[in-house]
Amino acid sequence: MTLATKTLATKTRRRESGAVLLIALCLLIVILLLGAAAAQLALQGERTARGERDRQMAFQAAEEALMDAENDIEGGPAAPGRSATFAPDSAQGFVSGCGTGADLGLCLGAGEGEPPVWQSVDLADAAPETARSVPYGAFTGAAMPTGEGLLPFRRPRYIIELLPFAQEGEAAADAAPRYLYRVTAIGFGARDGTQVVLQSIYRKRPQGGDK
């Protein structure tokens, strides 16, 4: 083999080695990009699952608050709540803007043309001097663990709004006053920023009768 032939073969091998190295680098970059994309998708899926779990926790807490409000209205032998306040024909204890103290969370319905009370009250406010909603168990004695692990960040809260009620075909002006209660509850997830608001209309059971 002549010197010229040897030189040409050496250059050819160098070019081939350079091409192989370039291809290997390109493949490595592609693999790294695919790995980063897979990791990002996994993290996004985990965040989505965690957020959904948090929302479900807040939803369940709000449901518990609705039940606690019903127990507050109905009362029971071991936990009377404020059942004496909720006479079907009485608005005693209910005030505009929602009450405080023993009447905490009791709200007169909004006037004509005004937004519903539950839209104008800060349901999440827990400051003793400004809160207008009732923390879970405040009047029924019910307990709910909070603030650790997979538990709500804090107790749910609720307000009870007084609504006039009349039977179908009955003139409201001619009938004795009767009322329904609109309960609005807010529940929290493991993070305070995860909140769910639920609402129900409740009619107190007549004495000795069915709901």
Side-chain angles (χ1 to χ4, degrees):
M1 181 181 293
T2 64
L3 180 60
T5 304
K6 289 181 179 179
T7 302
L8 180 60
T10 301
K11 289 181 178 180
T12 301
R13 284 196 296 271
R14 288 176 179 174
R15 283 197 297 268
E16 290 176 351
S17 298
V20 170
L21 180 59
L22 181 60
I23 293 172
L25 287 174
C26 290
L27 288 174
L28 181 60
I29 291 172
V30 170
I31 292 171
L32 287 174
L33 290 175
L34 289 175
Q40 186 175 6
L41 286 174
L43 288 173
Q44 185 176 356
E46 183 183 356
R47 283 196 296 268
T48 301
R50 188 165 56 242
E52 179 61 22
R53 182 185 62 197
D54 213 27
R55 194 194 71 81
Q56 286 295 329
M57 186 185 303
F59 185 91
Q60 292 172 7
E63 284 189 322
E64 289 291 327
L66 290 180
M67 294 182 62
D68 192 57
E70 292 179 9
N71 292 333
D72 187 9
I73 294 170
E74 291 291 349
R82 294 177 290 182
S83 56
T85 299
F86 297 98
D89 58 352
S90 173
Q92 182 180 357
F94 290 84
V95 300
S96 297
C98 302
T100 59
D103 300 325
L104 182 65
L106 303 186
C107 316
L108 282 177
E112 187 175 353
E114 297 178 352
V117 173
W118 63 271
Q119 291 184 356
S120 58
V121 171
D122 185 359
L123 296 170
D125 184 8
E129 63 277 7
T130 57
R132 292 295 181 270
S133 57
V134 180
Y136 179 88
F139 295 104
T140 63
M144 176 182 290
T146 60
E148 294 181 2
L150 301 178
L151 294 174
F153 180 80
R154 57 190 175 111
R155 289 185 293 170
R157 307 180 70 90
Y158 64 85
I159 62 170
I160 301 174
E161 191 176 348
L162 192 70
L163 300 178
F165 166 72
Q167 297 282 6
E168 185 177 354
E170 183 179 61
D174 300 333
R178 282 177 294 183
Y179 300 99
L180 297 175
Y181 305 105
R182 178 160 59 196
V183 181
T184 307
I186 184 170
F188 305 93
R191 297 171 296 174
D192 194 31
T194 304
Q195 302 176 358
V196 170
V197 175
L198 298 179
Q199 197 171 78
S200 67
I201 301 294
Y202 191 80
R203 181 183 179 189
K204 188 171 183 178
R205 299 184 184 93
Q207 287 293 102
D210 296 330
K211 179 179 174 181

